[in-house]
Amino acid sequence: MTERQPFSFIELPAARSATKPRRFGLTMMADWGIGLGHQRDVLELAGGYVDFAKIVTGAARLYRREHLEAKLEAYRQAQVRPFIGGQFHEYVFAEGGWQALIPFYREAVALGFDTIEISDNCLPLDDDERARQIRMAIDNGLKVFGEVGSKDAKSDIADLVRQAHVCFEAGAEYVLVEAAELVEEGVIREASIVRLQRELDLSRVMIELPGPWISGTTLSQVEDMKKLLVQALGPDVNLANLKPDDLIAMEALRTGLGVVGPKTRKELA
């Protein structure tokens, strides 16, 4: 952030990307239906620390049109990129098939979206179907975030990497990888992290946190995942699915001001 801040004499880590637009250290917020007033407050307080906002599930269908358009414009004014979450896309495909997707994409563009997530959490896709959906969305004026992995089961890391390459080769801008695939019983799956670092451009990968809406997932587990991922991948790890009211705490964690604490101890005078 460039505005005058308190305690400015306390230096923050140079490794943390502090200004937008960022290439690394991206934060994606999940918007579960916050009102315009709450959104304004969140952006005034923490807009400098969030890069994307996902309109989750099929919530976009339930807004008044003018309300949704106002929400999207407020995000754009704050340099936060809003996009449609993947489960809405899955629902449209499940209910209407391939022929329903083009009207869906066109309506998204007309509303002011420029990006959509394509996932297969509820409706599995093979590689050809995944690539076809990504190309269709791009052909109809949208950028695409592809999602790979499972929220509640462990996949073979080779499958995750292959699916990520399918997304990139089809034209996806970013790939979201489920954090549950990288953490097991409170411990980072180091071999999986190493494989991702070796085979993917992590500046184009966002790690998507699970939440308590998934059976068996607790808030403490999610908090532990945040700490583990920052420790394993550094303060500029790309993280997705933050709650609006957690943005400041997440930035504190990235910079060592949070519960992980400073990375080194300097000699005391």
Side-chain angles (χ1 to χ4, degrees), residues 28-32 52-61 63 68 72 81-93 101 104-105 108 113-122 133 142-147 151 176 208 241:
M28 185 267 275
M29 178 186 91
D31 182 333
W32 286 89
F52 303 104
K54 175 165 69 175
I55 310 299
V56 300
T57 61
R61 175 63 178 83
Y63 288 100
L68 179 57
L72 301 184
R81 206 163 129 196
F83 67 98
I84 298 177
Q87 286 193 20
F88 193 12
H89 188 272
E90 291 183 49
Y91 178 90
V92 172
F93 184 54
L101 293 180
F104 179 62
Y105 299 148
F113 287 102
D114 71 355
T115 305
I116 193 166
E117 178 187 10
I118 291 179
S119 63
D120 65 346
N121 291 142
C122 305
Q133 288 188 354
L142 291 164
K143 301 179 181 70
V144 173
F145 298 164
E147 185 190 78
K151 296 181 185 299
L176 307 180
E208 191 167 60
N241 267 10

